[in-house]
Amino acid sequence: MAQKPSIPKGTRDFGPQETIRRNYIFDTIRKVFHRYGYQPIETPAMENLSTLLGKYGDEGDKLLFRILNSGDFLSDVSQRDNFPASSELLPFVSEKGLRYDLTVPFARFVVQNRNDLVFPFKRYQIQPVWRADRPQKGRYREFFQCDADVVGSDSLLNEAELVMIVDDVFHALNMKVQVKINNRKILAGLAEFIGYPSALTDITVAIDKLDKIGLNEVNQELLARGISEEAIAKLQPVLQFKGSSSEKLDLLQQLIAGNEVGRKGIDEVKELFGTLAELKPGLEYELDLTLARGLNYYTGAIFEVKSLEVQMGSICGGGRYDDLTGVFGMPGLSGVGISFGADRIYDIMLERGLFPKTASESTFVLFANFGPSETNYCLKALKMCRELGLNTELYPDADKMKKQFRYADQKQIPWVVLAGETEIASNCFTLRSMTDASQQTIAYEALPSFLAQIKVQL
């Protein structure tokens, strides 16, 4: 009995229409990246585990897909009466893993290629990443990220530029979103304020789950992570505060301006907001004091974007990292970046019907096939249409017209060109609209420019 084909949970196939729509998202994001001077790079799907481990926190490390070494990977494991524990065995059976994100591989790339790069280096990258997560709505084990990063500059102008990129991308995609901004220095200041400066990671990992599990559960997790009830109580005014961004800054001024790291975070947020107000008046964003983004490498501004139309997790996020390249032997190189979650963006646009009609069309015009002589008659016009940038097909077989029209319908081809004995005798074509079945006669030489004009008007 033949095996039933399947794919791993948390992965998806994409048919032609889905792929065209996804490419529409990628192309839109890519155009905005180019507009701001970002250059493309690509890195391998797999990295050495030594590159990946320890960069995402304990929870992130657990979600890494490890690749089994090829060949006799147990040959170097010494024979013992008791089989080695998995932690001892792992280095022998797996030395590589699928990339978890694009930021850590980018940091590795920068260090390896530092002599060939011009700093500040602005790069973008559109590639898939893999996480051994539990699949659910909007969460996949294989998904694309669209990243933009600047390394080699401490200027907060970079943060402002990334926020404007976010606004430009979602405006172009016709999506209504909420841009949230915070600063890890503020969070570090709060950790110091409640008396647990060394527990910043535990605090941020818990706070980052606030939207998912609620305040009570966050407080319980903080307690389980060793934070005292008294310290958790001091954190509540921040976690529950609902004022405007300026009011939140006033609250922070009262609570943490007395410690150096907290004051630095407040100053950075004020400078960023001031720059955004100058560069793009009317841009909507807010200071979210509960935004934590639990990745260990963030050190300054952090960003998160959520849809205002569909209930879903973050669709874009990022932040400042001061020394990510230091672990690869190039300390002191600061960077900041954002990452667009293309798969979640796709799901939202599909649910909301935001894809333009042209994002579903793979072919604009189909030349029908009446036979060899009629086909030869069409070839010059076919070539002219393609030269004008029109996606054009010639039906390969002289099948019944009903079958050829059905082909056009199923592929959502809006125009069909007909050329039979009558058209050849008159040196013209009959152009049929598949939208309303109307037909018109067009002179042979005029057809390509006529179709091109229709395309421009769409």
Side-chain angles (χ1 to χ4, degrees):
M1 188 176 189
Q3 179 182 346
K4 184 178 179 180
S6 64
I7 59 175
K9 289 182 179 179
T11 65
R12 296 177 290 175
D13 287 324
F14 298 101
Q17 187 178 67
E18 294 166 307
T19 302
I20 290 167
R21 287 172 172 168
R22 283 165 60 83
N23 285 340
Y24 171 76
I25 294 172
F26 296 146
D27 290 344
T28 300
I29 295 173
R30 189 179 287 112
K31 286 176 183 176
V32 176
F33 287 165
H34 285 168
R35 196 179 307 147
Y36 284 81
Y38 288 74
Q39 297 177 299
I41 70 163
E42 292 189 358
T43 59
M46 59 181 170
E47 295 275 352
N48 293 323
L49 282 176
S50 59
T51 296
L52 301 174
L53 288 170
K55 313 303 188 304
Y56 309 107
D58 292 339
E59 293 193 12
D61 284 353
K62 292 174 185 175
L63 299 181
L64 287 173
F65 271 112
R66 290 163 168 84
I67 299 172
L68 199 64
N69 292 347
S70 57
D72 187 4
F73 50 82
L74 288 176
S75 60
D76 292 331
V77 180
S78 58
Q79 297 299 316
R80 304 180 186 178
D81 293 335
N82 297 317
F83 201 71
S86 60
S87 60
E88 298 177 59
L89 186 62
L90 187 59
F92 293 98
V93 302
S94 178
E95 299 168 343
K96 295 174 285 294
L98 295 177
R99 59 173 173 247
Y100 177 92
D101 73 350
L102 299 178
T103 305
V104 171
F106 170 55
R108 189 265 311 149
F109 172 91
V110 168
V111 175
Q112 278 194 256
N113 297 277
R114 56 185 147 188
N115 295 327
D116 301 320
L117 301 178
V118 176
F119 292 99
F121 179 52
K122 305 172 76 170
R123 88 80 169 86
Y124 76 84
Q125 199 169 344
I126 300 177
Q127 288 187 277
V129 299
W130 294 266
R131 297 181 186 179
D133 214 341
R134 183 172 63 86
Q136 53 187 289
K137 182 182 178 182
R139 188 181 296 274
Y140 304 97
R141 287 175 171 168
E142 179 187 60
F143 55 97
F144 267 74
Q145 286 186 336
C146 309
D147 283 20
D149 288 79
V150 179
V151 292
S153 171
D154 297 322
S155 173
L156 288 173
L157 287 172
N158 299 311
E159 275 87 336
E161 188 173 82
L162 291 173
V163 175
M164 291 192 294
I165 285 175
V166 168
D167 184 67
D168 285 357
V169 165
F170 288 112
H171 179 76
L173 294 174
N174 200 28
M175 290 178 63
K176 296 178 181 178
V177 300
Q178 183 179 44
V179 181
K180 297 183 176 184
I181 301 172
N182 201 4
N183 193 295
R184 290 279 286 201
K185 293 184 179 72
I186 287 175
L187 296 169
L190 289 170
E192 187 173 324
F193 167 70
I194 67 173
Y196 284 84
S198 62
L200 176 61
T201 299
D202 287 323
I203 294 169
T204 54
V205 167
I207 291 176
D208 200 44
K209 300 175 182 177
L210 187 63
D211 285 348
K212 301 173 188 174
I213 63 177
L215 182 60
N216 289 336
E217 290 296 322
V218 167
N219 289 336
Q220 288 301 313
E221 182 166 334
L222 287 168
L223 198 62
R225 289 176 176 269
I227 311 299
S228 71
E229 290 186 1
E230 181 184 0
I232 294 172
K234 292 179 72 175
L235 202 56
Q236 298 312 294
V238 174
L239 298 182
Q240 298 181 38
F241 194 79
K242 300 296 183 184
S244 66
S245 293
S246 61
E247 290 171 334
K248 290 172 185 175
L249 285 169
D250 290 340
L251 174 66
L252 292 174
Q253 199 76 36
Q254 298 171 28
L255 298 179
I256 64 172
N259 64 65
E260 184 179 352
V261 65
R263 185 170 60 253
K264 177 69 172 171
I266 294 171
D267 290 343
E268 288 184 3
V269 169
K270 287 182 176 179
E271 182 180 341
L272 172 59
F273 285 8
T275 303
L276 287 171
E278 286 290 327
L279 290 174
K280 205 162 190 178
L283 182 68
E284 293 190 16
Y285 50 88
E286 69 165 347
L287 175 62
D288 184 349
L289 300 181
T290 65
L291 174 60
R293 294 196 66 80
L295 295 178
N296 283 349
Y297 53 65
Y298 290 127
T299 56
I302 44 180
F303 314 102
E304 191 162 274
V305 181
K306 291 192 174 182
S307 170
L308 290 174
E309 301 169 298
V310 175
Q311 188 68 33
M312 191 175 285
S314 171
I315 56 177
C316 179
R320 165 73 64 173
Y321 42 89
D322 280 336
D323 195 27
L324 187 61
T325 56
V327 296
F328 300 119
M330 192 177 179
L333 191 67
S334 184
V336 60
I338 52 169
S339 177
F340 291 87
D343 294 85
R344 288 184 175 183
I345 291 172
Y346 176 93
D347 289 346
I348 292 170
M349 292 186 67
L350 189 65
E351 184 173 331
R352 298 290 300 170
L354 297 178
F355 286 104
K357 184 183 176 188
T358 51
S360 301
E361 292 173 0
S362 59
T363 301
F364 184 68
V365 57
L366 172 72
F367 279 78
N369 190 326
F370 285 82
S373 59
E374 292 87 348
T375 295
N376 287 334
Y377 173 79
C378 292
L379 291 180
K380 180 183 174 184
L382 178 79
K383 179 173 178 288
M384 291 167 65
C385 286
R386 288 173 175 163
E387 287 174 347
L388 288 176
L390 301 173
N391 297 343
T392 309
E393 287 187 53
L394 170 65
Y395 196 82
D397 304 301
D399 286 326
K400 294 179 180 179
M401 279 300 102
K402 184 178 179 181
K403 183 176 180 179
Q404 297 189 47
F405 287 153
R406 185 167 66 248
Y407 175 83
D409 271 333
Q410 290 174 336
K411 288 195 67 175
Q412 297 184 348
I413 301 172
W415 299 97
V416 174
V417 176
L418 308 172
E421 291 181 0
T422 303
E423 285 80 10
I424 293 174
S426 303
N427 195 36
C428 66
F429 291 107
T430 296
L431 182 62
R432 179 184 177 90
S433 167
M434 296 305 296
T435 304
D436 58 13
S438 62
Q439 297 187 167
Q440 55 187 308
T441 301
I442 307 291
Y444 190 104
E445 297 293 335
L447 176 73
S449 58
F450 182 81
L451 286 168
Q453 187 63 36
I454 293 175
K455 183 72 173 177
V456 168
Q457 292 171 356
L458 290 179

